[in-house]
Amino acid sequence: LLVDHNDDFLDGLCSLLEKDAALRVVGRAHSAAEAIERARGLHPDLVLMDVSLHDMSGFKVVPWLKALQPAPRVLLMSFHPSRTAELAGVAIGADGCISKTDVPEMLLFTVQDLLWPESSLELAVKTG
């Protein structure tokens, strides 16, 4: 589930994620309220969410998402990431944080690592 108020950014995320045939975008949301509603109905494995939503901070949405059964993994995105923000996100239950400026280079690897951590370890062993 992709959550951001900017449709162009969501289109870009979809294009990047479609490069991995094992990934499927099941929905989009433009606000925190819509993200919670969609997550309840769609049961995504992962919610990729902007921290700067118009109706509520993405940080405040994390506990709501983590209370769902089954709870999705949550990857927060920000244009202004900091180690403090990342630690705050993880402290409230987020599974990670990525800079929006790093999305083109790091998104697929980060998502794959969250969803299939054993694959990343296997790749590191094979290439290392």
Side-chain angles (χ1 to χ4, degrees):
L1 175 64
L2 307 178
V3 185
D4 196 285
H5 62 274
N6 184 312
D7 277 321
D8 291 334
F9 188 74
L10 290 175
D11 290 342
L13 289 176
C14 280
S15 293
L16 285 169
L17 293 169
E18 287 173 351
K19 292 179 180 182
D20 185 331
L23 298 173
R24 184 170 59 97
V25 175
V26 296
R28 295 177 174 205
H30 296 93
S31 68
E34 191 178 10
I36 294 166
E37 178 185 329
R38 296 263 166 111
R40 282 184 180 142
L42 296 170
H43 308 286
D45 296 315
L46 173 69
V47 176
L48 187 56
M49 182 170 48
D50 187 10
V51 297
S52 300
L53 300 171
H54 294 301
D55 58 340
M56 184 188 308
S57 164
F59 289 109
K60 292 185 178 182
V61 180
V62 173
W64 288 87
L65 295 173
K66 289 300 192 170
L68 298 173
Q69 292 300 321
R73 289 185 175 87
V74 179
L75 180 62
L76 297 173
M77 301 178 293
S78 174
F79 270 122
H80 308 288
S82 69
R83 186 69 179 146
T84 303
E86 183 177 347
L87 292 172
V90 171
I92 59 168
D95 297 283
C97 190
I98 187 171
S99 168
K100 285 186 170 185
T101 57
D102 291 338
V103 162
E105 297 85 25
M106 298 298 299
L107 182 65
L108 276 178
F109 174 76
T110 304
V111 167
Q112 292 164 344
D113 190 45
L114 280 176
L115 295 174
W116 308 291
E118 62 281 349
S119 296
S120 298
L121 179 61
E122 203 173 289
L123 179 63
V125 170
K126 287 181 183 175
T127 60

